[in-house]
mmCIF file of all heavy atoms in Angstrom:
data_model
loop_
_atom_site.group_PDB
_atom_site.id
_atom_site.type_symbol
_atom_site.label_atom_id
_atom_site.label_comp_id
_atom_site.label_asym_id
_atom_site.label_seq_id
_atom_site.Cartn_x
_atom_site.Cartn_y
_atom_site.Cartn_z
ATOM 1 N N GLU A 709 91.916 99.876 103.670
ATOM 2 C CA GLU A 709 93.297 100.277 103.393
ATOM 3 C C GLU A 709 94.000 100.775 104.660
ATOM 4 O O GLU A 709 95.217 100.635 104.809
ATOM 5 C CB GLU A 709 93.344 101.363 102.318
ATOM 6 C CG GLU A 709 92.934 100.878 100.944
ATOM 7 C CD GLU A 709 91.425 100.716 100.770
ATOM 8 O OE1 GLU A 709 90.641 101.379 101.488
ATOM 9 O OE2 GLU A 709 91.034 99.904 99.914
ATOM 10 N N ASP A 710 93.233 101.354 105.605
ATOM 11 C CA ASP A 710 93.822 101.824 106.866
ATOM 12 C C ASP A 710 94.458 100.683 107.653
ATOM 13 O O ASP A 710 95.360 100.906 108.456
ATOM 14 C CB ASP A 710 92.759 102.494 107.748
ATOM 15 C CG ASP A 710 92.205 103.774 107.160
ATOM 16 O OD1 ASP A 710 92.900 104.405 106.335
ATOM 17 O OD2 ASP A 710 91.071 104.148 107.520
ATOM 18 N N PHE A 711 93.980 99.454 107.437
ATOM 19 C CA PHE A 711 94.424 98.312 108.222
ATOM 20 C C PHE A 711 95.134 97.260 107.373
ATOM 21 O O PHE A 711 95.394 96.158 107.847
ATOM 22 C CB PHE A 711 93.217 97.666 108.919
ATOM 23 C CG PHE A 711 92.507 98.621 109.840
ATOM 24 C CD1 PHE A 711 91.444 99.378 109.389
ATOM 25 C CD2 PHE A 711 92.931 98.778 111.142
ATOM 26 C CE1 PHE A 711 90.790 100.270 110.226
ATOM 27 C CE2 PHE A 711 92.290 99.664 111.993
ATOM 28 C CZ PHE A 711 91.214 100.410 111.531
ATOM 29 N N ALA A 712 95.446 97.570 106.158
ATOM 30 C CA ALA A 712 96.015 96.585 105.227
ATOM 31 C C ALA A 712 97.285 95.940 105.779
ATOM 32 O O ALA A 712 97.506 94.743 105.599
ATOM 33 C CB ALA A 712 96.298 97.229 103.878
ATOM 34 N N GLY A 713 98.106 96.689 106.443
ATOM 35 C CA GLY A 713 99.359 96.154 106.967
ATOM 36 C C GLY A 713 99.182 95.131 108.070
ATOM 37 O O GLY A 713 100.089 94.353 108.363
ATOM 38 N N ALA A 714 98.002 95.082 108.678
ATOM 39 C CA ALA A 714 97.760 94.159 109.789
ATOM 40 C C ALA A 714 97.234 92.803 109.327
ATOM 41 O O ALA A 714 97.061 91.907 110.138
ATOM 42 C CB ALA A 714 96.763 94.782 110.762
ATOM 43 N N PHE A 715 96.991 92.663 108.010
ATOM 44 C CA PHE A 715 96.403 91.436 107.500
ATOM 45 C C PHE A 715 97.288 90.815 106.435
ATOM 46 O O PHE A 715 97.918 91.517 105.653
ATOM 47 C CB PHE A 715 95.011 91.714 106.926
ATOM 48 C CG PHE A 715 93.996 92.004 107.998
ATOM 49 C CD1 PHE A 715 93.887 93.261 108.543
ATOM 50 C CD2 PHE A 715 93.168 90.994 108.467
ATOM 51 C CE1 PHE A 715 92.968 93.532 109.546
ATOM 52 C CE2 PHE A 715 92.248 91.252 109.463
ATOM 53 C CZ PHE A 715 92.145 92.522 110.009
ATOM 54 N N ALA A 716 97.284 89.488 106.400
ATOM 55 C CA ALA A 716 98.070 88.765 105.402
ATOM 56 C C ALA A 716 97.486 88.992 104.011
ATOM 57 O O ALA A 716 96.296 89.226 103.857
ATOM 58 C CB ALA A 716 98.070 87.268 105.724
ATOM 59 N N ASP A 717 98.335 88.912 103.001
ATOM 60 C CA ASP A 717 97.860 89.102 101.636
ATOM 61 C C ASP A 717 97.638 87.767 100.923
ATOM 62 O O ASP A 717 97.348 87.733 99.741
ATOM 63 C CB ASP A 717 98.816 89.977 100.836
ATOM 64 C CG ASP A 717 100.226 89.436 100.818
ATOM 65 O OD1 ASP A 717 100.499 88.450 101.511
ATOM 66 O OD2 ASP A 717 101.059 90.019 100.109
ATOM 67 N N ARG A 718 97.759 86.659 101.647
ATOM 68 C CA ARG A 718 97.460 85.365 101.056
ATOM 69 C C ARG A 718 96.613 84.563 102.044
ATOM 70 O O ARG A 718 96.476 84.938 103.197
ATOM 71 C CB ARG A 718 98.701 84.568 100.700
ATOM 72 C CG ARG A 718 99.961 84.964 101.349
ATOM 73 C CD ARG A 718 101.051 83.995 101.144
ATOM 74 N NE ARG A 718 101.439 83.602 102.489
ATOM 75 C CZ ARG A 718 102.603 83.181 102.841
ATOM 76 N NH1 ARG A 718 103.508 83.004 101.945
ATOM 77 N NH2 ARG A 718 102.887 82.882 104.055
ATOM 78 N N GLY A 719 96.058 83.483 101.552
ATOM 79 C CA GLY A 719 95.176 82.677 102.389
ATOM 80 C C GLY A 719 93.735 83.119 102.256
ATOM 81 O O GLY A 719 93.376 83.877 101.371
ATOM 82 N N ARG A 720 92.933 82.653 103.173
ATOM 83 C CA ARG A 720 91.502 82.955 103.150
ATOM 84 C C ARG A 720 91.277 84.446 103.384
ATOM 85 O O ARG A 720 91.887 85.038 104.278
ATOM 86 C CB ARG A 720 90.823 82.150 104.244
ATOM 87 C CG ARG A 720 89.342 82.323 104.282
ATOM 88 C CD ARG A 720 88.736 81.373 105.299
ATOM 89 N NE ARG A 720 87.325 81.640 105.373
ATOM 90 C CZ ARG A 720 86.625 81.559 106.484
ATOM 91 N NH1 ARG A 720 87.215 81.204 107.602
ATOM 92 N NH2 ARG A 720 85.350 81.811 106.471
ATOM 93 N N PRO A 721 90.389 85.065 102.609
ATOM 94 C CA PRO A 721 90.111 86.491 102.811
ATOM 95 C C PRO A 721 89.550 86.747 104.212
ATOM 96 O O PRO A 721 88.751 85.971 104.726
ATOM 97 C CB PRO A 721 89.066 86.822 101.746
ATOM 98 C CG PRO A 721 89.139 85.722 100.752
ATOM 99 C CD PRO A 721 89.640 84.514 101.485
ATOM 100 N N ALA A 722 89.980 87.817 104.802
ATOM 101 C CA ALA A 722 89.511 88.192 106.138
ATOM 102 C C ALA A 722 88.216 88.981 106.036
ATOM 103 O O ALA A 722 87.869 89.499 104.984
ATOM 104 C CB ALA A 722 90.573 89.036 106.831
ATOM 105 N N ILE A 723 87.528 89.080 107.155
ATOM 106 C CA ILE A 723 86.382 89.991 107.239
ATOM 107 C C ILE A 723 86.947 91.393 107.091
ATOM 108 O O ILE A 723 88.063 91.689 107.508
ATOM 109 C CB ILE A 723 85.679 89.818 108.589
ATOM 110 C CG1 ILE A 723 85.070 88.423 108.681
ATOM 111 C CG2 ILE A 723 84.622 90.878 108.800
ATOM 112 C CD1 ILE A 723 84.495 88.084 110.022
ATOM 113 N N SER A 724 86.170 92.276 106.520
ATOM 114 C CA SER A 724 86.622 93.648 106.288
ATOM 115 C C SER A 724 87.206 94.257 107.562
ATOM 116 O O SER A 724 86.508 94.411 108.567
ATOM 117 C CB SER A 724 85.444 94.497 105.817
ATOM 118 O OG SER A 724 85.746 95.859 105.920
ATOM 119 N N PRO A 725 88.489 94.612 107.559
ATOM 120 C CA PRO A 725 89.091 95.208 108.755
ATOM 121 C C PRO A 725 88.444 96.531 109.125
ATOM 122 O O PRO A 725 88.322 96.872 110.301
ATOM 123 C CB PRO A 725 90.568 95.381 108.403
ATOM 124 C CG PRO A 725 90.708 95.030 106.972
ATOM 125 C CD PRO A 725 89.459 94.400 106.496
ATOM 126 N N GLY A 726 88.010 97.284 108.129
ATOM 127 C CA GLY A 726 87.320 98.546 108.416
ATOM 128 C C GLY A 726 86.011 98.307 109.141
ATOM 129 O O GLY A 726 85.665 99.019 110.089
ATOM 130 N N ALA A 727 85.279 97.286 108.716
ATOM 131 C CA ALA A 727 84.014 96.941 109.377
ATOM 132 C C ALA A 727 84.267 96.459 110.807
ATOM 133 O O ALA A 727 83.530 96.814 111.727
ATOM 134 C CB ALA A 727 83.271 95.885 108.580
ATOM 135 N N LEU A 728 85.307 95.654 111.002
ATOM 136 C CA LEU A 728 85.634 95.192 112.352
ATOM 137 C C LEU A 728 85.978 96.353 113.276
ATOM 138 O O LEU A 728 85.581 96.373 114.441
ATOM 139 C CB LEU A 728 86.797 94.200 112.296
ATOM 140 C CG LEU A 728 86.498 92.845 111.657
ATOM 141 C CD1 LEU A 728 87.783 92.029 111.526
ATOM 142 C CD2 LEU A 728 85.465 92.083 112.455
ATOM 143 N N ALA A 729 86.702 97.328 112.775
ATOM 144 C CA ALA A 729 87.049 98.499 113.586
ATOM 145 C C ALA A 729 85.796 99.272 113.971
ATOM 146 O O ALA A 729 85.639 99.683 115.130
ATOM 147 C CB ALA A 729 88.028 99.396 112.829
ATOM 148 N N LEU A 730 84.890 99.474 113.019
ATOM 149 C CA LEU A 730 83.660 100.207 113.304
ATOM 150 C C LEU A 730 82.794 99.459 114.311
ATOM 151 O O LEU A 730 82.247 100.061 115.239
ATOM 152 C CB LEU A 730 82.875 100.473 112.019
ATOM 153 C CG LEU A 730 81.594 101.282 112.187
ATOM 154 C CD1 LEU A 730 81.889 102.633 112.836
ATOM 155 C CD2 LEU A 730 80.906 101.469 110.850
ATOM 156 N N VAL A 731 82.701 98.147 114.182
ATOM 157 C CA VAL A 731 81.925 97.352 115.134
ATOM 158 C C VAL A 731 82.515 97.495 116.532
ATOM 159 O O VAL A 731 81.781 97.641 117.517
ATOM 160 C CB VAL A 731 81.870 95.868 114.703
ATOM 161 C CG1 VAL A 731 81.373 94.973 115.821
ATOM 162 C CG2 VAL A 731 80.995 95.717 113.473
ATOM 163 N N SER A 732 83.825 97.481 116.646
ATOM 164 C CA SER A 732 84.469 97.641 117.960
ATOM 165 C C SER A 732 84.124 98.987 118.580
ATOM 166 O O SER A 732 83.821 99.077 119.771
ATOM 167 C CB SER A 732 85.986 97.506 117.837
ATOM 168 O OG SER A 732 86.313 96.215 117.393
ATOM 169 N N VAL A 733 84.155 100.032 117.787
ATOM 170 C CA VAL A 733 83.817 101.373 118.285
ATOM 171 C C VAL A 733 82.353 101.427 118.708
ATOM 172 O O VAL A 733 82.017 101.961 119.768
ATOM 173 C CB VAL A 733 84.123 102.452 117.220
ATOM 174 C CG1 VAL A 733 83.557 103.792 117.618
ATOM 175 C CG2 VAL A 733 85.622 102.539 116.983
ATOM 176 N N LEU A 734 81.467 100.877 117.888
ATOM 177 C CA LEU A 734 80.043 100.897 118.221
ATOM 178 C C LEU A 734 79.757 100.082 119.478
ATOM 179 O O LEU A 734 78.949 100.484 120.317
ATOM 180 C CB LEU A 734 79.216 100.390 117.051
ATOM 181 C CG LEU A 734 79.178 101.318 115.840
ATOM 182 C CD1 LEU A 734 78.492 100.643 114.669
ATOM 183 C CD2 LEU A 734 78.495 102.634 116.182
ATOM 184 N N GLN A 735 80.418 98.946 119.643
ATOM 185 C CA GLN A 735 80.226 98.144 120.855
ATOM 186 C C GLN A 735 80.660 98.932 122.079
ATOM 187 O O GLN A 735 79.978 98.933 123.101
ATOM 188 C CB GLN A 735 81.022 96.851 120.779
ATOM 189 C CG GLN A 735 80.375 95.796 119.930
ATOM 190 C CD GLN A 735 81.214 94.522 119.888
ATOM 191 O OE1 GLN A 735 82.423 94.549 120.086
ATOM 192 N NE2 GLN A 735 80.557 93.412 119.630
ATOM 193 N N ALA A 736 81.775 99.606 121.990
ATOM 194 C CA ALA A 736 82.270 100.378 123.132
ATOM 195 C C ALA A 736 81.331 101.530 123.462
ATOM 196 O O ALA A 736 81.160 101.885 124.629
ATOM 197 C CB ALA A 736 83.669 100.902 122.838
ATOM 198 N N SER A 737 80.691 102.097 122.446
ATOM 199 C CA SER A 737 79.825 103.251 122.697
ATOM 200 C C SER A 737 78.431 102.857 123.162
ATOM 201 O O SER A 737 77.729 103.670 123.741
ATOM 202 C CB SER A 737 79.712 104.108 121.437
ATOM 203 O OG SER A 737 78.983 103.422 120.441
ATOM 204 N N THR A 738 78.014 101.616 122.942
ATOM 205 C CA THR A 738 76.653 101.208 123.297
ATOM 206 C C THR A 738 76.589 100.223 124.441
ATOM 207 O O THR A 738 75.517 99.934 124.936
ATOM 208 C CB THR A 738 75.924 100.599 122.080
ATOM 209 O OG1 THR A 738 76.651 99.466 121.631
ATOM 210 C CG2 THR A 738 75.791 101.610 120.960
ATOM 211 N N SER A 739 77.698 99.687 124.872
ATOM 212 C CA SER A 739 77.707 98.703 125.948
ATOM 213 C C SER A 739 78.602 99.204 127.076
ATOM 214 O O SER A 739 79.817 99.063 127.019
ATOM 215 C CB SER A 739 78.235 97.361 125.417
ATOM 216 O OG SER A 739 78.324 96.441 126.474
ATOM 217 N N PRO A 740 78.012 99.804 128.103
ATOM 218 C CA PRO A 740 78.828 100.384 129.183
ATOM 219 C C PRO A 740 79.802 99.404 129.812
ATOM 220 O O PRO A 740 80.951 99.753 130.040
ATOM 221 C CB PRO A 740 77.791 100.829 130.209
ATOM 222 C CG PRO A 740 76.531 100.982 129.445
ATOM 223 C CD PRO A 740 76.595 99.971 128.317
ATOM 224 N N SER A 741 79.387 98.165 130.056
ATOM 225 C CA SER A 741 80.309 97.242 130.715
ATOM 226 C C SER A 741 81.484 96.894 129.808
ATOM 227 O O SER A 741 82.614 96.771 130.264
ATOM 228 C CB SER A 741 79.582 95.964 131.141
ATOM 229 O OG SER A 741 79.047 95.312 130.006
ATOM 230 N N TRP A 742 81.232 96.730 128.497
ATOM 231 C CA TRP A 742 82.316 96.431 127.572
ATOM 232 C C TRP A 742 83.233 97.640 127.450
ATOM 233 O O TRP A 742 84.448 97.507 127.471
ATOM 234 C CB TRP A 742 81.762 96.060 126.187
ATOM 235 C CG TRP A 742 82.804 95.543 125.266
ATOM 236 C CD1 TRP A 742 83.184 94.254 125.126
ATOM 237 C CD2 TRP A 742 83.614 96.273 124.341
ATOM 238 N NE1 TRP A 742 84.175 94.136 124.179
ATOM 239 C CE2 TRP A 742 84.450 95.374 123.701
ATOM 240 C CE3 TRP A 742 83.714 97.618 124.020
ATOM 241 C CZ2 TRP A 742 85.374 95.768 122.727
ATOM 242 C CZ3 TRP A 742 84.628 98.013 123.065
ATOM 243 C CH2 TRP A 742 85.449 97.087 122.431
ATOM 244 N N GLY A 743 82.667 98.823 127.351
ATOM 245 C CA GLY A 743 83.482 100.025 127.214
ATOM 246 C C GLY A 743 84.361 100.273 128.420
ATOM 247 O O GLY A 743 85.508 100.650 128.305
ATOM 248 N N ILE A 744 83.817 100.032 129.592
ATOM 249 C CA ILE A 744 84.609 100.234 130.811
ATOM 250 C C ILE A 744 85.741 99.220 130.879
ATOM 251 O O ILE A 744 86.874 99.569 131.190
ATOM 252 C CB ILE A 744 83.696 100.118 132.058
ATOM 253 C CG1 ILE A 744 82.750 101.324 132.120
ATOM 254 C CG2 ILE A 744 84.514 100.013 133.329
ATOM 255 C CD1 ILE A 744 81.663 101.206 133.149
#
């Protein structure tokens, strides 16, 4: 729901926006080169 406005409400369902946000945060915290 935090990201509902960023996604279309029709068409193919997207991957969970909440999960994508968490993956991005985890990648930044565990991969120094990506985080930098």
Side-chain angles (χ1 to χ4, degrees):
E709 292 77 25
D710 294 336
F711 300 92
F715 288 82
D717 56 354
R718 19 169 238 207
R720 183 174 176 215
I723 295 173
S724 165
L728 291 173
L730 182 57
V731 166
S732 297
V733 170
L734 290 172
Q735 281 180 335
S737 69
T738 60
S739 176
S741 61
W742 189 89
I744 290 170

